Amino acid sequence: MSFLDRVAQLPPRALAGGDSETIPASRVTYHSFCQSTNVLGIANLAPRLLREVCGLELRELPEAEVCCGFGGSTSLDHPEVAREIARRKLDNVAQAGAATLVTDNPGCLLHLRGAAAARRLPLRVAHVAEILAERLPSVEEGRTQP
């Protein structure tokens, strides 16, 4: 993400196309990885890419700054606590009215995707890179005729 932001410097709406059926523009919310928020200071980077570059309207996630429950070894050492934290996070996603939850960390992704599947929720949990990739024009679309 830092590369896309600082080096590629994609212009606004550069990836605003893509599959709007897969990614309903008004039903997306974002969960920031704790280290992105608290250590790296890049919590606003992925939401900015999703909003400005992809043209998505993000729904506000209640308690967005709160951990998803994966938390390093927390999900292994204290699975009951981790499940309860994930339940609360998914309840907040439902409160936001989102059909897609985007995150920037593989641990959060696996934890939240598993929790959503266990509850049989009709929720897509995706990594920000998946959303960006889906919005890239296909090779066929970009090809010019000789």
Side-chain angles (χ1 to χ4, degrees):
M1 288 187 303
S2 293
F3 175 82
L4 294 175
D5 184 57
R6 297 179 184 142
V7 179
Q9 297 181 353
L10 297 173
R13 302 194 57 80
L15 299 177
D19 187 352
S20 61
E21 294 297 318
T22 303
I23 311 163
S26 64
R27 299 193 60 211
V28 176
T29 195
Y30 178 76
H31 164 73
S32 181
F33 171 48
C34 296
Q35 285 188 345
S36 293
T37 302
N38 301 317
V39 178
L40 301 174
I42 59 170
N44 63 350
L45 184 57
R48 190 193 74 71
L49 290 171
L50 294 169
R51 278 188 193 105
E52 294 176 22
V53 176
C54 292
L56 296 173
E57 181 182 329
L58 295 182
R59 291 192 175 193
E60 190 68 30
L61 179 62
E63 299 181 331
E65 72 285 355
V66 175
C67 177
C68 73
F70 184 73
S73 65
T74 300
S75 62
L76 298 174
D77 294 339
H78 306 284
E80 302 82 18
V81 172
R83 274 194 297 276
E84 183 59 24
I85 295 170
R87 181 204 57 78
R88 185 171 176 146
K89 180 65 70 174
L90 293 176
D91 287 348
N92 286 331
V93 170
Q95 184 180 340
T100 300
L101 171 62
V102 181
T103 187
D104 62 344
N105 178 267
C108 297
L109 177 81
L110 293 173
H111 187 63
L112 292 168
R113 191 179 279 170
R119 289 175 61 180
R120 300 189 192 317
L121 297 177
L123 175 68
R124 178 179 182 215
V125 182
H127 192 281
V128 67
E130 292 177 271
I131 303 301
L132 293 167
E134 289 169 359
R135 300 191 72 83
L136 290 172
S138 72
V139 172
E140 294 299 318
E141 289 174 18
R143 211 174 263 172
T144 57
Q145 297 296 320

